[in-house]
């Protein structure tokens, strides 16, 4: 339970962050203690990190390295999703050093403090819909593309779990199962992922939710995230990985379905406000979760062929690997 709680907080924070500095701040905001691991004989080159739950009085923290939580949570892997610039590196170092000393954050007005535009719920629901559709045309042996998609969706469920579940529950369990697909034993041996619509910003939206009350917008996005989980399930089936497929199916049907029964039904949106939204009310998420992992098409919250968004509307910036820091 302790490790599961750490993992969902770190995964949700990573998925919601557009930079390394933001990741450090978000992770601290979840209540975790964070400390960097410096390169040998340096105090400014960060090559890894550890996290721990804040201990009770009289107890000592139990530290876990990012790589011991999951392969894709190693700092080198996370950095592949963030922009690499001298300014970004300087800001990240400032946040790591502040965390190491348990001092106030270097930047107290980061993007994580801003309220996201409500339109982003529509944007990311649309992105998730297209992602699920396009994944079904990706070969099951394109491990890098499947890993990236699973990592983003897993991060969204992890962020939502942190927001709604006092202890890891159905959302955390779904995140954990999808995260298994995100693990690549030898990332450097795989080709780059195929460009696909991003759902990474969904984690940011769940993290920024001002209330723990479930909303219709959350239901609309969740329907499409579940649809993406179905695509991952189908990929494992086609690849002959019955155990992995069954694990995803079990967690969705046995744990996530009861949770979705508590979700409100999305309300139809007027065409004058959101012409891209479907006019008919979509099915409840619980009905989808109990549909035997069948792909969802009719009655979806958004059209099956949405207009792709421009990069500026998807929150996450373009990202490149930071050279020389791959651990």
């Amino acid at each position: 339970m302790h490790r599961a709680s750490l993992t969902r907080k770190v995964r949700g924070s990573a998925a919601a962050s557009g930079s390394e500095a933001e990741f450090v701040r978000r992770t601290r905001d979840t209540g975790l203690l964070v400390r960097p691991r410096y390169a040998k004989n340096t105090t400014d080159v960060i090559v890894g990190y550890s996290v721990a739950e804040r201990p009770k009085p009289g107890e000592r923290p139990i530290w876990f390295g990012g790589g011991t939580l999951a392969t894709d949570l190693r700092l080198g892997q996370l950095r592949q999703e963030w922009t690499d610039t001298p300014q970004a590196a300087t800001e990240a170092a400032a946040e790591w050093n502040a965390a190491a000393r348990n001092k106030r954050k270097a930047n107290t007005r980061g993007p994580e403090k801003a309220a996201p535009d409500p339109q982003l719920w529509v944007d990311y629901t649309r992105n998730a819909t297209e992602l699920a559709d396009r994944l079904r045309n990706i070969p099951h042996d394109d491990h890098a593309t499947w890993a990236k998609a699973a990592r983003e969706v897993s991060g969204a469920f992890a962020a939502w779990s942190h927001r709604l579940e006092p202890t890891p529950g159905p959302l955390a369990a779904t995140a954990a199962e999808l995260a298994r697909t995100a693990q690549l034993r030898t990332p450097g041996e795989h080709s780059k992922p195929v460009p696909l619509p991003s759902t990474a910003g969904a984690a940011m939206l769940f993290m920024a939710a001002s209330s723990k009350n479930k909303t219709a917008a959350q239901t609309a996005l969740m329907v499409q995230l579940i649809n993406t989980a179905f695509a991952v399930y189908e990929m494992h089936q086609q690849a002959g990985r019955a155990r992995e497929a069954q694990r995803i199916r079990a967690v969705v049907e046995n744990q996530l379905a009861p949770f979705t029964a508590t979700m409100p039904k999305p309300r139809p949106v007027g065409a004058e406000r959101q012409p891209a939204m479907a006019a008919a009310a979509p099915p409840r998420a619980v009905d989808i979760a109990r549909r035997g992992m069948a792909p969802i098409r009719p009655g979806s919250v958004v059209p099956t062929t949405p207009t792709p968004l421009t990069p500026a509307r998807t929150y996450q910036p373009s990202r490149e690997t930071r050279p020389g820091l791959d651990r």
Side-chain angles (χ1 to χ4, degrees), residues 23-222:
F23 165 68
V24 180
R25 294 192 298 268
R26 283 189 181 275
T27 304
R28 296 180 71 185
D29 284 344
T30 66
L32 296 185
L33 299 176
V34 182
R35 68 184 183 189
R37 187 175 79 254
Y38 297 103
K40 187 176 181 179
N41 299 326
T42 73
T43 57
D44 58 354
V45 180
I46 296 91
V47 296
Y49 71 97
S50 298
V51 293
E53 295 281 5
R54 193 171 295 277
K56 297 179 181 179
E59 297 181 353
R60 300 182 65 180
I62 302 174
W63 295 93
F64 286 81
T68 64
L69 297 177
T71 302
D72 66 313
L73 294 181
R74 295 166 59 189
L75 186 57
Q77 289 298 109
L78 294 179
R79 280 174 169 163
Q80 295 185 31
E81 303 299 320
W82 296 321
T83 301
D84 175 28
T85 65
Q87 181 180 354
T90 300
E91 293 174 352
E95 295 296 350
W96 283 119
N97 291 332
R101 297 170 176 79
N102 202 23
K103 300 294 185 180
R104 183 181 180 183
K105 301 169 191 171
N107 181 3
T108 58
R109 297 184 179 181
E112 69 277 6
K113 297 300 181 183
D117 186 339
Q119 174 64 26
L120 288 176
W121 287 97
V122 178
D123 292 348
Y124 281 111
T125 299
R126 193 179 286 130
N127 271 19
T129 303
E130 186 179 0
L131 175 63
D133 283 342
R134 292 179 60 180
L135 277 174
R136 292 187 170 94
N137 295 320
I138 299 297
H140 63 74
D141 58 353
D142 186 348
H143 303 297
T145 299
W146 282 105
K148 180 176 176 60
R151 181 164 55 250
E152 290 187 357
V153 178
S154 174
F157 277 106
W160 203 7
S161 171
H162 168 66
R163 177 59 60 184
L164 294 183
E165 298 175 329
T167 58
L171 296 173
T174 304
E177 285 307 321
L178 289 171
R180 292 175 182 272
T181 304
Q183 310 306 310
L184 294 175
R185 293 183 180 275
T186 52
E189 295 182 3
H190 298 277
S191 58
K192 291 185 177 181
V194 174
L196 291 173
S198 173
T199 60
M204 176 270 297
L205 293 177
F206 289 131
M207 281 282 197
S210 59
S211 170
K212 292 190 176 182
N213 294 328
K214 306 177 186 73
T215 68
Q218 291 176 355
T219 303
L221 180 52
M222 184 178 189

